[in-house]
């Protein structure tokens, strides 16, 4: 796998043309069959590759799971059908008999039989247990391109190059009906969930809906510009999906035959489509080597479920005009992302170790980066070309942080060698050293006017330096562990610092006094960032949360939870129109969030990203959280928002799943979110008490020395 890329439509980018794809019955895994013959199995939670099923010698034209998810059947242009045991990834049977390329395979609903069709004009039925062929269905006068079982498994539908659709009675192997109407090859076939209708797609650019009993063509669906490669019903049977050589996916109303949505984004033939059994998501695979996900519950909107870096993201920064995001990672690369769409525009490679920090120049024409112990250099990059313009050498240990002066003429780099170095931004020449910290320096930042430089260190202090004289003018003492990040407020009168002591501190730049200490995180706080107006502060933590704080009062406004790993970087877009927040996570994801403020209300929407987070609000009223699926709504009702071990609904009395669309107002009297009379959630008192007890146990588990030891073990592992 080449990587999972961001795009206006999320997609999984691969190294070969995609010929087939399928969800597992429980929706947790995803199969992709390639032109190369390989079959890859991905986790749908993070789109990491779990397995490779290697054996076919030519294109894998079709893949499908057994109904119980224990087996996979695949058909290939190498003329073989293979049965794979998914627990081990072992090929259990190699079925031979077809004399030409396999075009399609299917499991019977009972799971004991497999059907395959081929360019040799035949259909073969195989026994799953033995791998033996026990029946051959002949009758088509051309290549048989597609097969599908009826919901009860007593019939089989097939489509052929002879432009016909045939129904086969599997009790006797006889052809019971022939549907004749297409003017060219039939490429796709599907039974409706009720079994009373058959849909077929053709090279003639149409989809035909047939009555399974009368052989009558009920409707002809026209909308694609070229041949229709596949057709599929939704599980409810109310929608039909079709793919085409024109690169589009069309969503049809099954009853009226009206095209409701045209899903565009693929740049080549779309050959396959599959429906997620756990949500209203369809996945499409294309010759453009991508898998794209679409949310058909909201009109085919794109689901941005994407990752870019193959390892932990260390830093994210937004460009001065808000158009670009730069992220650095342990995978030795820097990636540039389009803010609006999430598309990865460029990958900058050159460092020989983890890239720990990144920053834009004020003019946005350059990027500066710093690297790990195996490199220890600072690099200056051209944003337009991606070329490395200067390599700044001098540090003797990891470069933890880099920053441009507001004027853009100087750059600063902070290192584990206890120093901060200043460099000429145009020539890359060394200028000065800020020397005073007694341990590694984790962060460096310029004040908005460039007159002061702030540094945060493992020696638990924050230092303020006069940028002109290079003299330390103030030492801020108060943190009980490493200082991980420092950032100036937009006005420059306040400084925020984050620490391994699980807190964020707000300092007066003029006096050096600590104004507020923000507590609430259950583990080390990695990064902090002010919103463009300076009224909100975001902090991210190894406890897998991002917290939004009111700067004036120090109150927690919202918590975004359930990231796939610790959140190590956070940045706000410098926009006056909307609050967009970006996060970088241990799982390699970069996520974009929209934060909408109103009086005593808070709305947080996930714009693009990979994490199914949940939103917890304190002292605020949630009116709408976008993205909820109908399944989550139903579960919220059924479970009365009671927590589960998997954390999906844990403490749901205080959270609303960001995947859900809750349009009911919830208020929080006496510290607990309790629904009003119009809410869809009912929380029995006994269950609420049980949740409170579970929360107390969780907090106790994370308190004191145990938590500190766990954090330090994690830090040591990452450093290694």
């Amino acid at each position: 796998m080449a990587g999972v890329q961001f795009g206006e439509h999320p997609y999984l980018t691969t190294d070969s043309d995609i010929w087939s794809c399928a969800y597992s019955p429980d929706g947790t895994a995803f199969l992709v069959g390639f032109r190369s013959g390989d079959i890859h199995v991905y986790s749908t939670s993070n789109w990491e590759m779990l397995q490779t099923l290697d054996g076919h010698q030519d294109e894998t034209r079709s893949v499908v799971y057994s109904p119980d998810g224990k087996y996979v059947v695949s058909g290939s242009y190498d003329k073989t059908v293979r049965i794979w045991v998914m627990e081990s990834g072992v090929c259990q049977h190699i079925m031979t008999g077809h004399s030409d390329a396999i075009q399609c395979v299917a499991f019977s609903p009972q799971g004991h039989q497999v059907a395959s069709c081929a360019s040799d004009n035949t259909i073969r039925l195989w026994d799953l247990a033995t791998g033996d062929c026990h029946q051959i269905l002949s009758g088509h006068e051309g290549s048989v391109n597609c097969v599908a079982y009826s919901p009860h498994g007593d019939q089989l539908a097939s489509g052929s190059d002879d432009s016909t659709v045939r129904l086969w009675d599997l009790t006797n192997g006889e052809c019971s009906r022939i549907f004749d109407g297409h003017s060219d090859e039939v490429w796709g076939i599907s039974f409706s969930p009720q079994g009373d209708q058959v849909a077929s797609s053709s090279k003639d650019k149409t989809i035909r809906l047939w009555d399974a009993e009368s052989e009558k063509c009920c409707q002809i669906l026209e909308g694609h510009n070229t041949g229709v490669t596949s057709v599929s019903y939704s599980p409810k049977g109310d929608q039909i999906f079709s793919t085409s050589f024109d690169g589009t996916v069309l969503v049809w109303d099954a009853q009226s035959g009206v095209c409701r949505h045209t899903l565009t984004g693929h740049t080549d033939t779309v050959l396959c489509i599959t429906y997620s059994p756990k949500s209203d998501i369809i996945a499409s695979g294309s010759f453009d080597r991508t898998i794209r996900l679409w949310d058909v519950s909201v009109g085919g909107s794109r689901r941005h479920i994407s990752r870019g870096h193959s390892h932990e993201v260390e830093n994210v920064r937004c460009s001065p005009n808000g158009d670009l995001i730069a992220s650095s990672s342990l995978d030795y690369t820097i990636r540039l992302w389009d803010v609006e769409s999430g598309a990865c525009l460029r990958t900058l490679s050159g460092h020989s170790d983890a890239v720990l920090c990144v920053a834009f120049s004020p003019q946005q024409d350059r990027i500066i980066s710093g690297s790990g112990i195996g490199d220890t250099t600072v690099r200056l990059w051209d944003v337009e070309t991606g070329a490395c313009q200067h390599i700044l050498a001098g540090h003797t240990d990891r470069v933890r942080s880099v920053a441009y002066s507001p004027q853009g003429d100087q750059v600063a780099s902070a290192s584990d060698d206890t120093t901060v170095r200043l460099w000429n931004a145009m020539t890359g020449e060394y200028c000065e050293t800020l020397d005073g910290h007694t341990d590694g320096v984790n962060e460096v930042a310029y004040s908005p006017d460039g007159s002061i430089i702030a540094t945060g260190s493992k020696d638990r202090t924050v230092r303020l330096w006069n940028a002109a004289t290079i003299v330390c003018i103030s030492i801020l003492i108060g943190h009980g562990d490493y200082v991980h990040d420092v950032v100036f407020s937009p006005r420059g009168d306040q400084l925020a610092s984050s620490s391994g002591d699980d807190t964020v501190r707000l300092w007066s730049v003029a006096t050096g006094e600590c104004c507020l200490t923000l507590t609430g995180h259950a583990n080390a706080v990695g990064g902090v960032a002010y919103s463009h107006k300076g009224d909100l502060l975001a902090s991210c933590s190894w406890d897998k949360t991002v917290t939004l704080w009111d700067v004036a009062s120090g109150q927690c406004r919202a918590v975004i939870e359930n990231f796939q790993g610790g959140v190590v970087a956070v940045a706000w877009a410098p926009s006056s129109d909307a609050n967009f927040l970006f996060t970088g996570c241990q799982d390699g994801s970069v996520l974009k969030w929209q934060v909408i403020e109103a009086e005593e209300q808070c709305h947080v929407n996930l714009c693009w990203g990979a994490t199914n987070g949940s939103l917890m609000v304190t002292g605020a009223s949630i009116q709408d959280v976008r993205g909820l699926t109908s399944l989550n709504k139903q579960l919220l009702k059924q479970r009365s928002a009671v927590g589960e071990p998997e954390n999906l609904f844990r403490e749901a009395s205080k959270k609303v799943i960001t995947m859900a669309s809750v349009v009911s107002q919830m208020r929080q009297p006496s510290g607990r979110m309790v629904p009003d009379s119009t809410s869809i959630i009912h929380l029995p008192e006994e269950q609420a008490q049980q949740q409170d007890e579970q929360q107390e146990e969780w907090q106790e588990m994370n308190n004191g020395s145990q938590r500190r030891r766990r954090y330090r073990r994690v830090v040591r592992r990452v450093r290694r």
Side-chain angles (χ1 to χ4, degrees), residues 146 159-160 163-165 179-190 198-210 217-232 240-246 248 250 252 257 259:
C146 47
S160 169
S163 75
T164 69
V165 173
F179 303 147
D180 195 354
H182 284 295
S183 60
D184 214 327
E185 301 166 5
V186 179
W187 288 341
I189 199 83
S190 179
V198 175
S200 60
S201 64
S202 171
K203 187 180 178 181
D204 66 10
K205 308 178 188 179
T206 71
I207 300 157
R208 286 180 176 253
L209 306 184
W210 310 87
C217 179
C218 308
Q219 293 190 75
I220 301 176
L221 313 183
E222 297 179 288
H224 286 291
N225 298 323
T226 55
V228 187
T229 54
S230 73
V231 64
S232 177
I240 295 173
F241 311 104
S242 59
T243 63
S244 171
F245 271 97
D246 63 16
T248 67
L250 298 188
W252 308 83
C259 179

Side-chain angles (χ1 to χ4, degrees), residues 22-31 41-45 50 65 86:
Y23 275 100
S24 63
D26 62 3
T28 62
F30 191 82
L31 284 174
V41 185
Y42 298 93
S43 166
T44 57
S45 64
L50 304 176
Y65 273 94
M86 292 313 294

Side-chain angles (χ1 to χ4, degrees), residues 71-84:
Y71 301 94
V72 162
V73 60
S74 59
S76 169
Y77 278 12
D78 65 8
K79 307 176 188 178
T80 68
V81 176
R82 290 178 177 249
I83 300 292
W84 308 84

Side-chain angles (χ1 to χ4, degrees), residues 314-331:
E314 285 290 302
N315 201 212
V316 291
R317 288 291 182 266
C318 194
S319 63
N321 68 3
D323 290 342
L324 298 174
I325 284 289
S327 59
S328 63
S329 170
L330 297 182
D331 65 8

Side-chain angles (χ1 to χ4, degrees), residues 4 23 32-33 76 139 165 234 302 308 312 458 504 554 588 609 641:
V4 183
Y23 275 100
V32 180
S76 169
V165 173
S234 66
R302 299 80 166 173
E312 176 182 332
K458 294 176 183 176
V504 176

